[in-house]
Amino acid sequence: MRLVSVGVRPRRAAEPSEPEAGEATEPAHHEHIHPEHHEHSHPEHHPGHDYNHMKDKFMNEISRLSIPMWAVAAIVVLVLVLVACFIFCVFKKCFAKKKKPKKVREGKTGRRRKTKEGEGEAGEKEGEVKKEGEEEEKEQEKLGKLEFSLDYNFTDCQLIVGILQAQDLAAMDMGGTSDPYVKVFLLPDKKKKYETKVQRKNLCPVFNETFIFKIPYAELGGKTLVLQVFDFDRFSKHDEIGEIKIPMNSVDLGQPMQQWRDLESGEKEEQEKLGDVCISLRYVPTAGKLTVNIMEAKNLKKMDVGGLSDPYVKIVLQQNGKRIKKKKTTVKKNTLNPYFNESFSFDVPFEQIQKVQVVITVYDYDKLGSNDPIGKTFMGYGATGVGLRHWSDMLANPRRPVAQWHTLLPEEEVDAALKAKPR
């Protein structure tokens, strides 16, 4: 009996397990249905639903507007194109900025290498260029040479300078020639200047001219003899070919000397300002009377040791190089800005007025020695610039005084213009 009861108990114990399993399955089935019911009662939020809702709302708004659909489409396309272009530009700039520094770095490193390599070559080339430039300058400085002689007469206290000849002078004219002449003077005073005759169209001229400076031997040591070779030009300023400077303290004047020396390029100095003179001209054709009034002068060159001058004016009426009449003003002491207001009359017939010249020279009066010219100018036949204009204004305004300021020029320059035939 015990065995049977023991065998039945397990079976009874197992039996109730089946309904339990059934009960467990039923709730599981019931639980599975419950979530489905919950999903239907509370649906999830889908983004597609919002997009459709927004689209419908947008289309409803557009349908209310009076704009046709093709215009809306065109606007949308245009906006899309602009957005695409903007994105492309931004992308291109960003892409370029990222790549550019690499190229720049490569370029900089390459340049540095090239410059380092090129510095050595440049240094060598500069050295060659300098050598070539020096050789060219030496060639250009070949202006010719001049033969001269020096002697001193101790009895008469005279320095005798001989200008003998020149060779291989530089060509200054268009035709490949020059019209040379030589100026001779002593520095620093320049009071006395000599000139040789002009040798026309000749690069190897022979002068054979002698000039004498009267100067005590004791004063000669502080002087410098200057020999300047110029190319004569009839219608413009004479061009300097070259010069020779001889300090007299370096020359042994115990015996005559004669030598050749190469010409050197002269220092280009600004033309020395000599001053200005105011002149009034008046011509009466019926009476044949020319009146020249020397009114005043200003900024005259200092000629005396004290830094002043004793100026006066000399007026010469000439024709064909011959003096017809000359007059002069009074001397104004110790001034560089003298006031004269002095008139001078000349008889000039009407048929001769176009052929005469009025030459004005301002001098510095010297009691002991010769009077030194400060500067010169002229009007009338052959004049140019201010001199010609002043003369023309006088003839155009008969019986009326016409005043004009004239700039004083070096005496030799005006003399050369007076000798030249007008064009």
Side-chain angles (χ1 to χ4, degrees), residues 58-107:
F58 178 71
M59 295 302 292
N60 290 333
E61 291 292 333
I62 289 174
S63 63
R64 290 179 185 178
L65 298 173
S66 59
I67 302 173
M69 289 301 294
W70 64 266
V72 175
I75 292 170
V76 171
V77 170
L78 181 62
V79 170
L80 291 174
V81 170
L82 291 174
V83 171
C85 291
F86 176 75
I87 294 170
F88 175 74
C89 292
V90 171
F91 176 76
K92 190 175 180 182
K93 284 184 178 181
C94 295
F95 186 75
K97 283 181 180 178
K98 287 178 182 179
K99 286 192 173 182
K100 206 168 186 179
K102 293 181 181 179
K103 293 181 181 179
V104 171
R105 286 172 189 170
E106 290 174 1

Side-chain angles (χ1 to χ4, degrees), residues 79-344:
V79 170
L80 291 174
V81 170
L82 291 174
V83 171
C85 291
F86 176 75
I87 294 170
F88 175 74
C89 292
V90 171
F91 176 76
K92 190 175 180 182
K93 284 184 178 181
C94 295
F95 186 75
K97 283 181 180 178
K98 287 178 182 179
K99 286 192 173 182
K100 206 168 186 179
K102 293 181 181 179
K103 293 181 181 179
V104 171
R105 286 172 189 170
E106 290 174 1
K108 285 182 178 178
T109 53
R111 284 175 191 168
R112 285 173 185 171
R113 289 173 186 171
K114 287 180 182 178
T115 50
K116 286 179 181 179
E117 293 173 358
E119 281 176 0
E121 296 176 2
E124 294 175 0
K125 287 181 180 178
E126 285 178 3
E128 292 175 1
V129 169
K130 284 180 180 178
K131 288 179 181 177
E132 291 175 1
E134 289 175 0
E135 290 175 0
E136 287 177 1
E137 285 179 2
K138 286 180 180 177
E139 289 179 0
Q140 288 178 359
E141 286 177 356
K142 290 182 179 178
L143 305 171
K145 55 185 180 178
L146 180 68
E147 185 182 20
F148 62 94
S149 64
L150 290 177
D151 193 9
Y152 189 77
N153 186 336
F154 289 89
T155 305
D156 300 327
C157 297
Q158 293 178 342
L159 175 66
I160 304 165
V161 182
I163 305 299
L164 305 178
Q165 59 180 325
Q167 281 188 1
D168 304 324
L169 295 179
M172 306 296 286
D173 297 337
M174 295 293 290
T177 61
S178 293
D179 302 324
Y181 69 95
V182 183
K183 281 185 183 180
V184 184
F185 58 92
L186 287 169
L187 289 176
D189 47 10
K190 288 187 182 180
K191 279 195 173 182
K192 202 159 192 177
K193 287 186 179 181
Y194 295 105
E195 292 181 11
T196 67
K197 293 178 181 177
V198 177
Q199 303 294 321
R200 300 285 181 180
K201 297 182 180 180
N202 197 340
L203 298 180
C204 298
V206 177
F207 299 101
N208 286 329
E209 296 186 41
T210 303
F211 306 102
I212 297 173
F213 294 89
K214 192 164 185 178
I215 180 170
Y217 184 78
E219 297 179 9
L220 197 58
K223 306 292 183 182
T224 300
L225 179 65
V226 181
L227 311 177
Q228 290 180 328
V229 182
F230 282 86
D231 172 47
F232 175 81
D233 195 327
R234 181 174 293 178
F235 303 114
S236 63
K237 188 179 178 181
H238 303 170
D239 300 317
E240 184 179 351
I241 298 174
E243 68 179 18
I244 297 170
K245 289 185 177 179
I246 308 164
M248 297 311 296
N249 57 7
S250 65
V251 179
D252 181 12
L253 295 173
Q255 56 185 0
M257 63 169 286
Q258 182 176 326
Q259 64 176 212
W260 284 93
R261 279 203 191 179
D262 291 330
L263 294 174
E264 297 177 355
S265 57
E267 297 177 0
K268 293 184 178 178
E269 299 178 355
E270 292 184 3
Q271 187 171 358
E272 193 176 17
K273 293 182 179 179
L274 305 175
D276 303 277
V277 59
C278 185
I279 304 163
S280 172
L281 298 177
R282 178 175 178 264
Y283 183 66
V284 181
T286 53
K289 188 176 181 180
L290 173 65
T291 303
V292 180
N293 187 344
I294 306 300
M295 302 178 72
E296 59 180 313
K298 64 179 181 180
N299 304 323
L300 295 179
K301 180 185 173 183
K302 300 171 185 177
M303 302 295 287
D304 296 339
V305 179
L308 295 172
S309 295
D310 301 323
Y312 71 94
V313 181
K314 184 178 178 181
I315 308 101
V316 175
L317 180 70
Q318 65 180 35
Q319 183 178 355
N320 297 326
K322 295 179 181 180
R323 293 181 182 178
I324 300 172
K325 206 168 187 181
K326 64 178 180 179
K327 296 184 179 182
K328 63 181 179 180
T329 67
T330 57
V331 177
K332 303 298 180 181
K333 296 285 186 179
N334 300 324
T335 179
L336 300 178
N337 299 284
Y339 181 78
F340 299 100
N341 195 23
E342 298 181 30
S343 294
F344 306 92

Side-chain angles (χ1 to χ4, degrees), residues 356-368:
V356 297
Q357 298 166 324
V358 176
V359 183
I360 307 294
T361 309
V362 181
Y363 284 89
D364 172 46
Y365 176 76
D366 196 338
K367 286 182 180 180
L368 301 176

Side-chain angles (χ1 to χ4, degrees), residues 281-285 288-290 348-356 379-381 387-402:
L281 298 177
R282 178 175 178 264
Y283 183 66
V284 181
K289 188 176 181 180
L290 173 65
V348 183
F350 181 72
E351 58 272 12
Q352 298 293 326
I353 193 64
Q354 295 280 16
K355 300 176 183 179
V356 297
M379 296 141 283
Y381 180 72
L388 175 61
R389 187 170 66 247
H390 194 188
W391 195 257
S392 300
D393 290 344
M394 177 198 72
L395 295 176
N397 298 276
R399 300 181 181 85
R400 288 179 56 190
V402 179

